[in-house]
Amino acid sequence: MRIWMRRAGAGLSLAGALAAGVPPAWGQPMGLPSMGAASAAELSPAVERTLGQAIMEQGRQDPTYIGDLDVGQYLTALGRRLAAHAPQALAQDITVFAVRDPAINAFALPGGYIGVNSGLVVGAQSESELAGVLAHEIGHVMQRHIARGIAQQSQGTGIMVASLIGALLAALAGQGDLAMGVATFGQAAAIDRQLGFSRGAEQEADRAGLQMMRQAGFDPRGMLAMFRRLMNASRLNEGTGGGYASTHPLSIQRLSDIENRIEGLPPAAATPDPEFWFVRARLALIQARDHADRQRLRQTLRGEARDLQGARQAAALYGLAALDRTEGDLAGARAQLAQAQSIQPAPQLDVLAIQLAGAQGPAAAVDVSAAAWKRWPRSQGVADARARALQKAGQDAAAADLLQAAARQWPDTPEFQKLLATSLQRLGREVEAHEAMASYFEQTGALPTAVEHLQQARTLSKDFYAQSRLDMRIRALRERLDNQRALLEPFKK
């Protein structure tokens, strides 16, 4: 499963439908049509969220999914900052994640999930340009274009939604593998061109996005600049397929509408977040797959480190330091890192410092991570790096304390629960380890697996109060499973 779905519908298209040669008949959102026994009005936010969680459960296993915590934290914070200024309330919380793909693209899934290709962030020349694309996608979420498109497709052949619902119901019953019911991302990409939104829907998303950008403190001209660049790129690559323009048709009319709406506006007093440049550099590093890619990236970063100043220069030096580390030049990496740190502090720099200290021994990494965590108590990436340093040093009790605090601070970040389970198991705290893994699977949407871990913990526990607590959690999760089945049953055909 190499290629992430480009649009919401692509993520939902079924392998069976493709194998049978049945074209998924997607119409554009024209209201909420009937779905037979269940009307499209019943494609509620809860159902939509369930669909999105199911797709993400499988998507996190895809090799192109980027699980870097600082990247995800930054992108989601940016998305939620924009969503807080949406013209109307959103039915879903926004969660933004990254995919390793050099194509300039972004896509919205059911349930408020928005994916961005690494190429989109690397290609952005300002934070406002990235914010413009994210604001546009949030506009689709706000208008419920994804949910309406799913409902309207179901009115056609009905195969896509019905098959997915059948796979979901089987998975919720603990039967079979959900991945068998959802198309691979490669197959989903084959119908990418059929899934674009209508001109009206795209224009609605543009207008909502511009308002979000302005009120969130970004320069709305960033949207115009990015769309102009994307249009030019699509002309140069006409006929090659893929890319943002193929799924979000860019027209002169759309650009003119954006221009007219920002004309006469005073320049926005945008204050860019320096972390944008470090996240951009981090994604460029992740995107570079082989030696040739890394050499090209090194040339680009050298030019930026020479010609730019401030956060952009520091981010370029960070990228060069990371490349030196990858190639085994630890002395060169430390020199580049020290220069970057003298220009602009950033959590990514301290994570790299922890990694470089690890080459000197576990104790050195623990010391460096302690100082980093003190500087960046709100960085998920630094918390992750410190926990791993403590684990490598055999300090699992300290790691468990840190991870329990991190799990409380970021209750929607499942990676901390998984790391916590490792330390708890090493400490012989098997019941707690199973509870942590249950939390991990609960947060990633695998509820039947979460129940299994709680049942194992219940069997291992000899403590009456712990057993009672576990019984309550098992009962609550089973009720959630029952509720999800009840939500989905009306859509089964």
Side-chain angles (χ1 to χ4, degrees):
M1 298 195 299
R2 285 184 56 253
I3 305 173
W4 258 94
M5 69 288 282
R6 310 294 190 197
R7 299 289 319 156
L12 296 176
S13 305
L14 294 181
L18 291 172
V22 179
W26 273 68
Q28 301 304 332
M30 299 290 289
L32 295 177
S34 171
M35 291 178 65
S39 73
E42 292 176 284
L43 190 64
S44 66
V47 173
E48 191 185 347
R49 189 72 177 179
T50 298
L51 297 178
Q53 287 174 339
I55 295 169
M56 288 302 299
E57 180 190 345
Q58 297 303 312
R60 289 186 180 96
Q61 302 175 40
D62 190 277
T64 64
Y65 175 79
I66 295 174
D68 186 285
L69 291 182
D70 272 336
V71 169
Q73 184 179 21
Y74 167 79
L75 290 175
T76 294
L78 176 58
R80 292 181 178 178
R81 175 181 168 186
L82 290 162
H85 298 279
Q88 62 192 59
L90 275 69
Q92 309 288 350
D93 290 332
I94 295 298
T95 301
V96 188
F97 62 96
V99 176
R100 188 184 65 245
D101 190 329
I104 297 178
N105 210 346
F107 50 92
L109 301 177
Y113 294 101
I114 296 173
V116 296
N117 283 10
S118 55
L120 174 67
V121 183
V122 173
Q125 298 303 303
S126 71
E127 189 178 33
S128 287
E129 290 191 5
L130 172 60
V133 177
L134 275 183
H136 175 92
E137 294 299 325
I138 294 168
H140 283 307
V141 175
M142 184 194 77
Q143 297 288 347
R144 301 208 71 213
H145 290 155
I146 298 100
R148 291 168 183 247
I150 293 171
Q152 205 157 31
Q153 189 278 336
S154 181
Q155 188 186 32
T157 64
I159 292 176
M160 190 179 72
V161 172
S163 299
L164 176 60
I165 296 300
L168 278 170
L169 288 169
L172 292 174
Q175 301 167 359
D177 185 354
L178 177 59
M180 297 300 292
V182 182
T184 65
F185 299 150
Q187 290 168 319
I191 58 168
D192 190 29
R193 287 178 172 270
Q194 302 178 37
L195 302 174
F197 287 119
S198 69
R199 290 180 182 179
E202 293 291 357
Q203 196 168 68
E204 282 181 2
D206 288 342
R207 293 174 179 178
L210 285 170
Q211 182 172 333
M212 283 182 254
M213 290 184 71
R214 183 73 182 173
Q215 294 185 359
F218 294 100
D219 187 350
R221 291 167 178 81
M223 179 185 286
L224 183 60
M226 176 61 91
F227 284 2
R228 279 175 174 164
R229 187 177 304 114
L230 291 168
M231 178 174 276
N232 290 333
S234 67
R235 286 171 179 163
L236 291 173
N237 297 286
E238 189 173 358
T240 59
Y244 199 77
S246 68
T247 54
H248 302 70
L250 294 167
S251 64
I252 296 298
Q253 289 77 13
R254 275 185 66 195
L255 292 180
S256 296
D257 185 62
I258 295 172
E259 286 177 332
N260 291 335
R261 288 179 178 276
I262 64 177
E263 185 178 2
L265 288 176
T271 304
D273 186 346
E275 193 168 357
F276 164 74
W277 299 109
F278 291 93
V279 169
R280 181 175 177 261
R282 176 64 181 152
L283 288 172
L285 292 163
I286 293 172
Q287 187 175 283
R289 300 297 308 280
D290 54 31
H291 180 72
D293 287 344
R294 289 190 288 272
Q295 289 303 107
R296 285 190 290 270
L297 177 58
R298 183 181 289 277
Q299 289 181 350
T300 299
L301 293 172
R302 280 175 175 166
E304 292 181 352
R306 180 187 65 244
D307 300 334
L308 301 176
Q309 296 179 338
R312 291 198 67 174
Q313 183 185 34
L317 289 165
Y318 158 72
L320 290 170
L323 287 172
D324 284 343
R325 174 177 175 264
T326 298
E327 296 175 1
D329 182 4
L330 299 186
R334 293 189 180 99
Q336 303 273 22
L337 178 61
Q339 188 178 353
Q341 289 173 320
S342 70
I343 298 170
Q344 175 74 53
Q348 289 79 10
L349 295 176
D350 280 37
V351 169
L352 181 56
I354 296 167
Q355 294 167 343
L356 288 170
Q360 300 174 330
V366 168
D367 291 342
V368 172
S369 69
W373 181 233
K374 187 175 181 179
R375 275 191 295 273
W376 306 104
R378 296 181 181 177
S379 166
Q380 293 182 8
V382 172
D384 177 82
R386 172 150 175 77
R388 292 177 188 275
L390 288 168
Q391 287 179 336
K392 288 181 180 178
Q395 299 182 33
D396 281 294
D401 289 342
L402 170 70
L403 289 164
Q404 286 170 334
R408 288 191 296 270
Q409 185 174 356
W410 297 293
D412 297 327
T413 305
E415 288 81 2
F416 292 123
Q417 296 287 357
K418 194 172 185 179
L419 281 175
L420 174 60
T422 298
S423 283
L424 292 172
Q425 187 174 41
R426 290 175 179 173
L427 292 167
R429 295 158 63 178
E430 294 287 342
V431 172
E432 294 172 85
H434 279 293
E435 285 191 84
M437 284 305 297
S439 296
Y440 168 78
F441 284 113
E442 180 181 359
Q443 290 171 22
T444 57
L447 299 189
T449 308
V451 170
E452 289 177 9
H453 276 280
L454 290 176
Q455 288 173 329
Q456 291 180 55
R458 176 67 169 79
T459 300
L460 291 169
S461 177
K462 305 300 181 186
D463 181 270
F464 171 78
Y465 295 103
Q467 290 174 340
S468 299
R469 185 186 69 251
L470 290 165
D471 287 338
M472 290 179 63
R473 285 194 67 185
I474 291 169
R475 186 161 52 250
L477 280 183
R478 284 177 170 163
E479 287 177 0
R480 280 183 60 188
L481 282 166
D482 289 341
N483 290 337
Q484 288 188 0
R485 292 189 195 102
L487 284 170
L488 296 173
E489 278 289 351
F491 299 97
K492 186 178 178 182
K493 294 187 178 181

